[in-house]
Amino acid sequence: QRRFIFPDNLLGISWVDSSWIPILNNGSVLDYFSERSNPFYDRTCNNEVVKMQRMTLDHLNQMVGVEYILLHAQEPILFIIRKQQRQSPTQVMPLADYYIIAGVIYQAPDLGSVINSRVLTAVHGIQSAFEEAMSYCRYHPSKGYWWHFKDQEEREKTKPKAKKKEEPSSIFQRQRVDALLLDLRQKFPPRFVQQKPGEKPIPVDQIKKEPEPAPEAVKTEEKETVKNAQSAGAKGPPEKRMRLQ
């Protein structure tokens, strides 16, 4: 059975040897990169074979396999080294790029890693925004959905409450309310009456009602008072009558 060993992700690490920083140049940067403690360096590369056989780097073009070359240099601050697979003296396939800034070695991310990182960052931001928005969402069957923000509560607490001006009621409203109250009073008459403020309410049945005069008797009394007044006016006062001798 074959076991496939996946290499660790080297994009999040860096390596530096401070003793090499003062002497870094185009000729010594590959020797600095081939240090044994450098995790980016592959010991099975052709550079290691050339180094052990004490040959020049020009012999790398005649070999097949993994090799490291100096791709770009900007002394003394920046150096770019490429790891590539050589298949023939004229055909190579890039595998990875490494850049050295002020003596610190980093691995340059590939396009797939860059896109993956940007997509994950964007998705994480969108998901966080949705979660935060849902935390402010409220729902009630009678009201429906609305937004409830904490800042809004603090602003409402700090703001002075303005007193609402009470508008006077219209004649239509007063007449309509009086009509409704009269209708309710006729449908549901009161059972207790408080004759004076502070006294105990008394049931309506216990209140003594004065007998009301019959309408016919009232009419007759009125007629009699009218006749008496007319006769008195015609005769005149008795004091002014002339005595007959």
Side-chain angles (χ1 to χ4, degrees):
Q1 295 182 358
R2 294 183 178 178
R3 294 183 180 179
F4 296 94
I5 301 175
F6 296 94
D8 297 332
N9 188 6
L10 303 177
L11 297 176
I13 64 174
S14 62
W15 181 84
V16 61
D17 188 352
S18 57
S19 61
W20 282 81
I21 294 176
I23 59 174
L24 277 181
N25 52 40
N26 295 348
S28 62
V29 66
L30 287 176
D31 295 333
Y32 172 61
F33 191 83
S34 62
E35 283 288 327
R36 292 185 177 275
S37 59
N38 182 12
F40 304 108
Y41 184 67
D42 186 2
R43 302 295 172 193
T44 62
C45 64
N46 294 337
N47 297 67
E48 193 71 14
V49 175
V50 170
K51 184 178 179 180
M52 292 177 63
Q53 295 181 3
R54 296 181 181 180
M55 294 186 295
T56 60
L57 295 176
D58 297 335
H59 290 82
L60 293 175
N61 298 333
Q62 308 300 325
M63 303 175 68
V64 176
V66 178
E67 64 183 23
Y68 293 92
I69 63 169
L70 179 60
L71 183 64
H72 177 74
Q74 185 178 348
E75 295 183 2
I77 191 68
L78 175 64
F79 301 92
I80 299 177
I81 295 176
R82 171 167 291 179
K83 179 182 180 181
Q84 59 188 10
Q85 177 75 31
R86 181 169 293 278
Q87 300 175 356
S88 67
T90 58
Q91 187 177 3
V92 294
M93 181 178 63
L95 299 177
D97 289 337
Y98 306 91
Y99 55 95
I100 304 173
I101 299 178
V104 184
I105 302 177
Y106 306 90
Q107 180 176 351
D110 55 304
L111 183 60
S113 300
V114 173
I115 295 175
N116 188 23
S117 176
R118 298 296 175 86
V119 170
L120 287 176
T121 303
V123 171
H124 177 70
I126 294 172
Q127 185 177 1
S128 301
F130 274 112
E131 291 177 356
E132 186 175 359
M134 289 301 296
S135 66
Y136 298 122
C137 182
R138 299 290 184 272
Y139 173 76
H140 193 272
S142 61
K143 296 181 180 180
Y145 289 95
W146 76 92
W147 298 106
H148 183 76
F149 298 101
K150 297 180 180 178
D151 298 340
Q152 188 175 1
E153 290 183 356
E154 295 177 357
R155 290 175 183 176
E156 290 179 356
K157 290 180 181 179
T158 55
K159 283 184 179 179
K161 294 183 179 180
K163 295 183 179 179
K164 295 182 179 179
K165 295 182 179 179
E166 296 182 358
E167 297 181 357
S169 60
S170 62
I171 299 176
F172 172 77
Q173 292 174 343
R174 291 194 293 271
Q175 291 177 352
R176 187 62 180 168
V177 171
D178 293 341
L180 291 174
L181 292 175
L182 182 60
D183 188 15
L184 290 173
R185 183 179 179 183
Q186 292 176 356
K187 289 182 180 179
F188 308 99
R191 297 181 181 180
F192 297 88
V193 177
Q194 187 178 13
Q195 295 180 352
K196 294 181 180 181
E199 293 184 354
K200 185 178 180 180
I202 303 172
V204 178
D205 301 336
Q206 297 180 5
I207 299 175
K208 295 181 180 180
K209 295 183 179 180
E210 296 181 357
E212 295 180 359
E216 294 180 357
V218 172
K219 289 181 180 179
T220 54
E221 289 179 358
E222 290 178 355
K223 288 180 180 180
E224 289 179 358
T225 54
V226 170
K227 287 181 180 180
N228 294 330
Q230 290 178 357
S231 61
K235 292 179 180 181
E239 291 80 2
K240 295 183 179 181
R241 292 179 184 178
M242 296 179 65
R243 295 180 182 180
L244 298 174
Q245 294 179 357

